[in-house]
Amino acid sequence: MTPLVRSVRSADTLTRDALAVLQPGFTGTTAPDWLLRRLGEGLVSVGLFGRNVADPAQLAALTGRLRAEREELIVAIDEEGGDVTRLEVRGGSSFPGNHALGAVDDTALTRAVARELGRRLADCGINLNWAPSADVNSNPGNPVIGVRSFGADPQLVARHTAAYVEGLQSAGVAACTKHFPGHGDTAVDSHHDLPRIAADLPTLRARELVPFRAAVAAGTRAVMSAHILLPALDGEHPATLSPAALHGLLRAPATEGGLGFDGLIVTDGMEMQAISATYGIERGSVLALAAGADAICVGGGLADEDIVLRLRDALVRAVRDGELPEQRLADAAARVRALAGRTRSADVREGAAPAPGIGLTAARRALRLTAAGPYAPLAEPAYVAAFTPLANIAVGDETPWGVAAELARLLPGTETATCTAEAAAAAGTAALVDGLLTAAAGRRLVAVVRDVHRHPWMAEALRTLLAARPDTAVVEMGVPQAPPQGALHLATHGAARVCAQAAAEALTDQRVSPGE
């Protein structure tokens, strides 16, 4: 009977380890029974998304219910602030994003913003944040990073990444610095396809890796891998599946040319097309663990019990078939459990004092105004033309953006029109702009754009509008790469709610209390 007992115990341990390395999501604002059951069977992490959040009280009750099932639990969320928010997914963030903080370039401010964000997460029972983005925005045409980056200068990105990690973790929330080894020099969104970075290794070390070194030095508890192909490191596998990138570069000691990181390595979402369309989620997860990843992030798109069981069984099968060393899975599970134990509750916080107005303060400081001449502040209801690009998946289309709502609070009666690429193509630019001018009916115009340098249709529509109404104010809520245009040009460096509030204040020459 002894061999049988040993076999059963081994199988149980293997299954628990396979569950331990998963970071799944779920639907709804309460914990489903299947999730609670799997926590009892060995699951150690849960990922939250906007669909799981109604308000802070509900979120705290949800995380409390999860911890009632398993006290040492990682509850993770993708809360970057700025354009990527889950806590305030339906209203817009109270914090500007990285690009605004980089524009101010005050590391004390970045640290304070991250600390307050961390305090709010900890109050809701969240102890791992899939942030900050440490990507250097070296390609201004990047479709997925943009204002999520602190900027294009590696040293600036490095010092603000470190400050963000320090601020967040001082509030008791583990930072997960992303997207290693750097997603900034891509022209493809890895949610849809596999990006390729052609930079050589010296360039990577001098540019992409600089902020990650700073994050490691600052003590980031986790690092998230990117689904990007870097032939200088590995010509076959994207970084998430590459031993050369994860084990050889991120884990290796500095004496061997690595970053010497000893914390938790988390994959980006495995259902993203860069992985799932080429390898499949099960095969991709096995390869990621074998390459050196410790935690498999899944649940942004696939969020039910089936995906958890599929991945659990795929990992167990890979160990039994000799594709994944059992010790590698055991080591990964041990790292996950260690972080869960280290961040077991919000009680580890160091007394973070509330700073409710810090986000608006930062957004105001990030605002950059360029006037073509004297500009009279808006004093009557205005007409806002919002030139709206398709939102990338990381940002999502649930979160409102633009200045119309904030302007309407200051100038009741302000109206807005949304203009898209499809509308411009269907009607033609001239007809689209004529419609805006007719609807404005002589009122002052505000044109709102987002990364106008990346969207030819938007640039053409804006030029046509300004030719007809040169007194129009222009608000750029993306990366301000294009030259300033308009009678007054405002660069907010992001589309968070507080960025819109700062812009509305500037347009009307009114300043209101934070009210957060």
Side-chain angles (χ1 to χ4, degrees), residues 431-466:
L432 180 73
V433 171
D434 283 346
L436 291 173
L437 295 174
T438 299
R443 284 173 288 181
R444 299 278 295 278
L445 275 163
V446 178
V448 184
V449 295
R450 199 171 186 176
D451 291 338
V452 70
H453 67 284
R454 292 201 301 111
H455 303 286
W457 72 269
M458 190 186 297
E460 182 184 0
L462 181 61
R463 282 193 301 269
T464 304
L465 178 63
L466 291 176

mmCIF file of all heavy atoms in Angstrom, residues 431-466:
data_model
loop_
_atom_site.group_PDB
_atom_site.id
_atom_site.type_symbol
_atom_site.label_atom_id
_atom_site.label_comp_id
_atom_site.label_asym_id
_atom_site.label_seq_id
_atom_site.Cartn_x
_atom_site.Cartn_y
_atom_site.Cartn_z
ATOM 1 N N ALA A 431 -17.820 67.125 -45.397
ATOM 2 C CA ALA A 431 -19.203 67.025 -44.918
ATOM 3 C C ALA A 431 -19.243 66.843 -43.407
ATOM 4 O O ALA A 431 -20.122 67.395 -42.723
ATOM 5 C CB ALA A 431 -19.918 65.866 -45.611
ATOM 6 N N LEU A 432 -18.289 66.072 -42.876
ATOM 7 C CA LEU A 432 -18.229 65.867 -41.430
ATOM 8 C C LEU A 432 -18.029 67.195 -40.710
ATOM 9 O O LEU A 432 -18.730 67.516 -39.737
ATOM 10 C CB LEU A 432 -17.093 64.894 -41.088
ATOM 11 C CG LEU A 432 -16.891 64.583 -39.605
ATOM 12 C CD1 LEU A 432 -18.012 63.685 -39.096
ATOM 13 C CD2 LEU A 432 -15.534 63.894 -39.365
ATOM 14 N N VAL A 433 -17.079 67.987 -41.191
ATOM 15 C CA VAL A 433 -16.785 69.268 -40.554
ATOM 16 C C VAL A 433 -17.939 70.248 -40.753
ATOM 17 O O VAL A 433 -18.297 71.002 -39.829
ATOM 18 C CB VAL A 433 -15.458 69.839 -41.096
ATOM 19 C CG1 VAL A 433 -15.252 71.278 -40.597
ATOM 20 C CG2 VAL A 433 -14.296 68.960 -40.662
ATOM 21 N N ASP A 434 -18.559 70.248 -41.935
ATOM 22 C CA ASP A 434 -19.723 71.114 -42.148
ATOM 23 C C ASP A 434 -20.832 70.792 -41.144
ATOM 24 O O ASP A 434 -21.495 71.701 -40.621
ATOM 25 C CB ASP A 434 -20.257 70.930 -43.570
ATOM 26 C CG ASP A 434 -19.414 71.656 -44.614
ATOM 27 O OD1 ASP A 434 -18.597 72.509 -44.203
ATOM 28 O OD2 ASP A 434 -19.564 71.352 -45.809
ATOM 29 N N GLY A 435 -21.012 69.507 -40.870
ATOM 30 C CA GLY A 435 -22.015 69.115 -39.887
ATOM 31 C C GLY A 435 -21.687 69.641 -38.499
ATOM 32 O O GLY A 435 -22.578 70.080 -37.755
ATOM 33 N N LEU A 436 -20.412 69.610 -38.150
ATOM 34 C CA LEU A 436 -19.989 70.135 -36.846
ATOM 35 C C LEU A 436 -20.244 71.638 -36.761
ATOM 36 O O LEU A 436 -20.740 72.142 -35.739
ATOM 37 C CB LEU A 436 -18.499 69.839 -36.616
ATOM 38 C CG LEU A 436 -18.110 68.378 -36.412
ATOM 39 C CD1 LEU A 436 -16.590 68.242 -36.375
ATOM 40 C CD2 LEU A 436 -18.709 67.833 -35.120
ATOM 41 N N LEU A 437 -19.911 72.350 -37.833
ATOM 42 C CA LEU A 437 -20.082 73.800 -37.826
ATOM 43 C C LEU A 437 -21.555 74.178 -37.720
ATOM 44 O O LEU A 437 -21.922 75.121 -37.008
ATOM 45 C CB LEU A 437 -19.462 74.398 -39.084
ATOM 46 C CG LEU A 437 -17.941 74.243 -39.212
ATOM 47 C CD1 LEU A 437 -17.466 74.740 -40.567
ATOM 48 C CD2 LEU A 437 -17.229 74.982 -38.088
ATOM 49 N N THR A 438 -22.387 73.424 -38.414
ATOM 50 C CA THR A 438 -23.835 73.683 -38.348
ATOM 51 C C THR A 438 -24.364 73.420 -36.940
ATOM 52 O O THR A 438 -25.134 74.223 -36.388
ATOM 53 C CB THR A 438 -24.573 72.794 -39.365
ATOM 54 O OG1 THR A 438 -24.107 73.100 -40.684
ATOM 55 C CG2 THR A 438 -26.076 73.026 -39.284
ATOM 56 N N ALA A 439 -23.930 72.293 -36.340
ATOM 57 C CA ALA A 439 -24.396 71.946 -34.993
ATOM 58 C C ALA A 439 -23.888 72.937 -33.950
ATOM 59 O O ALA A 439 -24.572 73.228 -32.968
ATOM 60 C CB ALA A 439 -23.947 70.533 -34.646
ATOM 61 N N ALA A 440 -22.681 73.469 -34.170
ATOM 62 C CA ALA A 440 -22.118 74.418 -33.206
ATOM 63 C C ALA A 440 -22.911 75.715 -33.190
ATOM 64 O O ALA A 440 -22.975 76.387 -32.145
ATOM 65 C CB ALA A 440 -20.661 74.703 -33.549
ATOM 66 N N ALA A 441 -23.488 76.068 -34.320
ATOM 67 C CA ALA A 441 -24.374 77.243 -34.404
ATOM 68 C C ALA A 441 -23.719 78.504 -33.839
ATOM 69 O O ALA A 441 -24.346 79.267 -33.091
ATOM 70 C CB ALA A 441 -25.693 76.954 -33.680
ATOM 71 N N GLY A 442 -22.475 78.708 -34.191
ATOM 72 C CA GLY A 442 -21.785 79.925 -33.778
ATOM 73 C C GLY A 442 -21.155 79.879 -32.406
ATOM 74 O O GLY A 442 -20.464 80.830 -32.005
ATOM 75 N N ARG A 443 -21.381 78.824 -31.656
ATOM 76 C CA ARG A 443 -20.761 78.721 -30.330
ATOM 77 C C ARG A 443 -19.249 78.505 -30.443
ATOM 78 O O ARG A 443 -18.747 78.037 -31.468
ATOM 79 C CB ARG A 443 -21.372 77.567 -29.546
ATOM 80 C CG ARG A 443 -22.764 77.884 -28.983
ATOM 81 C CD ARG A 443 -23.401 76.652 -28.359
ATOM 82 N NE ARG A 443 -23.824 75.689 -29.375
ATOM 83 C CZ ARG A 443 -24.418 74.536 -29.095
ATOM 84 N NH1 ARG A 443 -24.633 74.201 -27.825
ATOM 85 N NH2 ARG A 443 -24.801 73.730 -30.064
ATOM 86 N N ARG A 444 -18.533 78.790 -29.385
ATOM 87 C CA ARG A 444 -17.089 78.525 -29.344
ATOM 88 C C ARG A 444 -16.861 77.024 -29.475
ATOM 89 O O ARG A 444 -17.596 76.207 -28.902
ATOM 90 C CB ARG A 444 -16.471 79.029 -28.029
ATOM 91 C CG ARG A 444 -16.615 80.526 -27.802
ATOM 92 C CD ARG A 444 -15.550 81.319 -28.530
ATOM 93 N NE ARG A 444 -14.219 81.032 -28.020
ATOM 94 C CZ ARG A 444 -13.672 81.594 -26.923
ATOM 95 N NH1 ARG A 444 -14.377 82.454 -26.200
ATOM 96 N NH2 ARG A 444 -12.441 81.299 -26.556
ATOM 97 N N LEU A 445 -15.826 76.661 -30.204
ATOM 98 C CA LEU A 445 -15.533 75.263 -30.484
ATOM 99 C C LEU A 445 -14.313 74.785 -29.714
ATOM 100 O O LEU A 445 -13.315 75.506 -29.574
ATOM 101 C CB LEU A 445 -15.281 75.061 -31.980
ATOM 102 C CG LEU A 445 -16.511 74.835 -32.865
ATOM 103 C CD1 LEU A 445 -16.161 75.066 -34.318
ATOM 104 C CD2 LEU A 445 -17.041 73.420 -32.670
ATOM 105 N N VAL A 446 -14.404 73.536 -29.246
ATOM 106 C CA VAL A 446 -13.265 72.842 -28.643
ATOM 107 C C VAL A 446 -13.126 71.509 -29.367
ATOM 108 O O VAL A 446 -14.075 70.711 -29.394
ATOM 109 C CB VAL A 446 -13.469 72.605 -27.133
ATOM 110 C CG1 VAL A 446 -12.280 71.830 -26.561
ATOM 111 C CG2 VAL A 446 -13.652 73.923 -26.395
ATOM 112 N N ALA A 447 -11.983 71.276 -29.972
ATOM 113 C CA ALA A 447 -11.712 70.006 -30.645
ATOM 114 C C ALA A 447 -10.848 69.144 -29.734
ATOM 115 O O ALA A 447 -9.806 69.598 -29.245
ATOM 116 C CB ALA A 447 -11.003 70.244 -31.967
ATOM 117 N N VAL A 448 -11.287 67.916 -29.493
ATOM 118 C CA VAL A 448 -10.552 66.993 -28.625
ATOM 119 C C VAL A 448 -10.019 65.853 -29.479
ATOM 120 O O VAL A 448 -10.780 65.205 -30.216
ATOM 121 C CB VAL A 448 -11.456 66.442 -27.503
ATOM 122 C CG1 VAL A 448 -10.639 65.570 -26.560
ATOM 123 C CG2 VAL A 448 -12.103 67.589 -26.736
ATOM 124 N N VAL A 449 -8.721 65.622 -29.389
ATOM 125 C CA VAL A 449 -8.075 64.559 -30.164
ATOM 126 C C VAL A 449 -7.288 63.665 -29.222
ATOM 127 O O VAL A 449 -7.015 64.018 -28.074
ATOM 128 C CB VAL A 449 -7.151 65.133 -31.260
ATOM 129 C CG1 VAL A 449 -7.961 65.890 -32.302
ATOM 130 C CG2 VAL A 449 -6.072 66.029 -30.652
ATOM 131 N N ARG A 450 -6.902 62.513 -29.744
ATOM 132 C CA ARG A 450 -6.152 61.537 -28.949
ATOM 133 C C ARG A 450 -5.129 60.880 -29.878
ATOM 134 O O ARG A 450 -5.499 60.143 -30.771
ATOM 135 C CB ARG A 450 -7.127 60.487 -28.385
ATOM 136 C CG ARG A 450 -6.632 59.683 -27.211
ATOM 137 C CD ARG A 450 -7.808 58.864 -26.667
ATOM 138 N NE ARG A 450 -7.499 58.151 -25.435
ATOM 139 C CZ ARG A 450 -8.384 57.434 -24.745
ATOM 140 N NH1 ARG A 450 -9.630 57.340 -25.187
ATOM 141 N NH2 ARG A 450 -8.037 56.811 -23.629
ATOM 142 N N ASP A 451 -3.861 61.224 -29.693
ATOM 143 C CA ASP A 451 -2.791 60.715 -30.571
ATOM 144 C C ASP A 451 -3.054 61.107 -32.023
ATOM 145 O O ASP A 451 -3.041 60.275 -32.928
ATOM 146 C CB ASP A 451 -2.678 59.191 -30.480
ATOM 147 C CG ASP A 451 -2.158 58.701 -29.146
ATOM 148 O OD1 ASP A 451 -1.490 59.491 -28.447
ATOM 149 O OD2 ASP A 451 -2.418 57.537 -28.803
ATOM 150 N N VAL A 452 -3.237 62.391 -32.264
ATOM 151 C CA VAL A 452 -3.566 62.830 -33.617
ATOM 152 C C VAL A 452 -2.467 62.452 -34.608
ATOM 153 O O VAL A 452 -2.731 62.229 -35.799
ATOM 154 C CB VAL A 452 -3.855 64.352 -33.645
ATOM 155 C CG1 VAL A 452 -2.585 65.153 -33.411
ATOM 156 C CG2 VAL A 452 -4.522 64.754 -34.950
ATOM 157 N N HIS A 453 -1.237 62.316 -34.139
ATOM 158 C CA HIS A 453 -0.123 61.964 -35.027
ATOM 159 C C HIS A 453 -0.247 60.554 -35.592
ATOM 160 O O HIS A 453 0.383 60.234 -36.596
ATOM 161 C CB HIS A 453 1.208 62.099 -34.279
ATOM 162 C CG HIS A 453 1.385 61.111 -33.170
ATOM 163 N ND1 HIS A 453 0.752 61.235 -31.956
ATOM 164 C CD2 HIS A 453 2.125 59.969 -33.090
ATOM 165 C CE1 HIS A 453 1.089 60.220 -31.178
ATOM 166 N NE2 HIS A 453 1.915 59.442 -31.836
ATOM 167 N N ARG A 454 -1.049 59.706 -34.963
ATOM 168 C CA ARG A 454 -1.191 58.317 -35.413
ATOM 169 C C ARG A 454 -2.392 58.091 -36.338
ATOM 170 O O ARG A 454 -2.554 57.000 -36.867
ATOM 171 C CB ARG A 454 -1.315 57.372 -34.208
ATOM 172 C CG ARG A 454 -0.084 57.246 -33.359
ATOM 173 C CD ARG A 454 -0.089 55.965 -32.533
ATOM 174 N NE ARG A 454 -1.217 55.837 -31.646
ATOM 175 C CZ ARG A 454 -2.205 54.954 -31.782
ATOM 176 N NH1 ARG A 454 -2.203 54.117 -32.805
ATOM 177 N NH2 ARG A 454 -3.198 54.895 -30.913
ATOM 178 N N HIS A 455 -3.235 59.111 -36.494
ATOM 179 C CA HIS A 455 -4.502 58.910 -37.205
ATOM 180 C C HIS A 455 -4.658 59.948 -38.316
ATOM 181 O O HIS A 455 -5.119 61.074 -38.061
ATOM 182 C CB HIS A 455 -5.673 59.007 -36.220
ATOM 183 C CG HIS A 455 -5.576 58.040 -35.077
ATOM 184 N ND1 HIS A 455 -5.810 56.690 -35.236
ATOM 185 C CD2 HIS A 455 -5.253 58.222 -33.773
ATOM 186 C CE1 HIS A 455 -5.646 56.085 -34.061
ATOM 187 N NE2 HIS A 455 -5.309 56.981 -33.167
ATOM 188 N N PRO A 456 -4.326 59.593 -39.555
ATOM 189 C CA PRO A 456 -4.438 60.547 -40.664
ATOM 190 C C PRO A 456 -5.829 61.142 -40.828
ATOM 191 O O PRO A 456 -5.973 62.341 -41.131
ATOM 192 C CB PRO A 456 -4.044 59.704 -41.882
ATOM 193 C CG PRO A 456 -3.142 58.637 -41.328
ATOM 194 C CD PRO A 456 -3.700 58.323 -39.980
ATOM 195 N N TRP A 457 -6.875 60.343 -40.639
ATOM 196 C CA TRP A 457 -8.236 60.870 -40.780
ATOM 197 C C TRP A 457 -8.508 61.967 -39.758
ATOM 198 O O TRP A 457 -9.177 62.983 -40.062
ATOM 199 C CB TRP A 457 -9.271 59.749 -40.621
ATOM 200 C CG TRP A 457 -9.421 59.248 -39.209
ATOM 201 C CD1 TRP A 457 -8.748 58.227 -38.620
ATOM 202 C CD2 TRP A 457 -10.285 59.785 -38.188
ATOM 203 N NE1 TRP A 457 -9.119 58.075 -37.308
ATOM 204 C CE2 TRP A 457 -10.065 59.016 -37.022
ATOM 205 C CE3 TRP A 457 -11.211 60.830 -38.160
ATOM 206 C CZ2 TRP A 457 -10.740 59.270 -35.831
ATOM 207 C CZ3 TRP A 457 -11.890 61.084 -36.963
ATOM 208 C CH2 TRP A 457 -11.658 60.305 -35.819
ATOM 209 N N MET A 458 -7.977 61.786 -38.541
ATOM 210 C CA MET A 458 -8.174 62.756 -37.470
ATOM 211 C C MET A 458 -7.420 64.041 -37.762
ATOM 212 O O MET A 458 -7.942 65.158 -37.578
ATOM 213 C CB MET A 458 -7.700 62.143 -36.142
ATOM 214 C CG MET A 458 -8.065 62.944 -34.905
ATOM 215 S SD MET A 458 -7.317 62.216 -33.403
ATOM 216 C CE MET A 458 -8.110 60.605 -33.351
ATOM 217 N N ALA A 459 -6.178 63.889 -38.250
ATOM 218 C CA ALA A 459 -5.368 65.062 -38.581
ATOM 219 C C ALA A 459 -6.023 65.879 -39.694
ATOM 220 O O ALA A 459 -6.049 67.120 -39.644
ATOM 221 C CB ALA A 459 -3.966 64.624 -38.991
ATOM 222 N N GLU A 460 -6.563 65.207 -40.701
ATOM 223 C CA GLU A 460 -7.218 65.909 -41.812
ATOM 224 C C GLU A 460 -8.474 66.632 -41.336
ATOM 225 O O GLU A 460 -8.732 67.791 -41.705
ATOM 226 C CB GLU A 460 -7.565 64.915 -42.922
ATOM 227 C CG GLU A 460 -8.212 65.579 -44.133
ATOM 228 C CD GLU A 460 -8.641 64.589 -45.198
ATOM 229 O OE1 GLU A 460 -8.442 63.370 -44.999
ATOM 230 O OE2 GLU A 460 -9.192 65.031 -46.220
ATOM 231 N N ALA A 461 -9.263 65.960 -40.512
ATOM 232 C CA ALA A 461 -10.487 66.583 -40.002
ATOM 233 C C ALA A 461 -10.155 67.799 -39.141
ATOM 234 O O ALA A 461 -10.842 68.840 -39.226
ATOM 235 C CB ALA A 461 -11.294 65.568 -39.209
ATOM 236 N N LEU A 462 -9.117 67.693 -38.346
ATOM 237 C CA LEU A 462 -8.732 68.819 -37.491
ATOM 238 C C LEU A 462 -8.255 70.000 -38.332
ATOM 239 O O LEU A 462 -8.624 71.152 -38.069
ATOM 240 C CB LEU A 462 -7.642 68.378 -36.511
ATOM 241 C CG LEU A 462 -7.160 69.448 -35.525
ATOM 242 C CD1 LEU A 462 -8.314 69.917 -34.637
ATOM 243 C CD2 LEU A 462 -6.020 68.912 -34.658
ATOM 244 N N ARG A 463 -7.442 69.727 -39.354
ATOM 245 C CA ARG A 463 -6.978 70.809 -40.235
ATOM 246 C C ARG A 463 -8.155 71.501 -40.905
ATOM 247 O O ARG A 463 -8.201 72.746 -41.001
ATOM 248 C CB ARG A 463 -6.037 70.253 -41.303
ATOM 249 C CG ARG A 463 -4.633 69.967 -40.823
ATOM 250 C CD ARG A 463 -3.688 69.729 -41.995
ATOM 251 N NE ARG A 463 -4.101 68.608 -42.824
ATOM 252 C CZ ARG A 463 -3.699 67.356 -42.633
ATOM 253 N NH1 ARG A 463 -2.874 67.077 -41.626
ATOM 254 N NH2 ARG A 463 -4.111 66.385 -43.437
ATOM 255 N N THR A 464 -9.113 70.729 -41.369
ATOM 256 C CA THR A 464 -10.277 71.300 -42.043
ATOM 257 C C THR A 464 -11.099 72.148 -41.081
ATOM 258 O O THR A 464 -11.572 73.246 -41.431
ATOM 259 C CB THR A 464 -11.147 70.174 -42.630
ATOM 260 O OG1 THR A 464 -10.342 69.366 -43.499
ATOM 261 C CG2 THR A 464 -12.322 70.731 -43.410
ATOM 262 N N LEU A 465 -11.283 71.671 -39.879
ATOM 263 C CA LEU A 465 -12.039 72.420 -38.875
ATOM 264 C C LEU A 465 -11.337 73.724 -38.529
ATOM 265 O O LEU A 465 -11.965 74.789 -38.447
ATOM 266 C CB LEU A 465 -12.236 71.560 -37.627
ATOM 267 C CG LEU A 465 -12.985 72.224 -36.455
ATOM 268 C CD1 LEU A 465 -14.411 72.575 -36.875
ATOM 269 C CD2 LEU A 465 -13.001 71.305 -35.244
ATOM 270 N N LEU A 466 -10.024 73.679 -38.337
ATOM 271 C CA LEU A 466 -9.277 74.883 -37.961
ATOM 272 C C LEU A 466 -9.235 75.898 -39.098
ATOM 273 O O LEU A 466 -9.190 77.115 -38.853
ATOM 274 C CB LEU A 466 -7.858 74.509 -37.535
ATOM 275 C CG LEU A 466 -7.744 73.740 -36.207
ATOM 276 C CD1 LEU A 466 -6.306 73.329 -35.937
ATOM 277 C CD2 LEU A 466 -8.269 74.588 -35.051
#
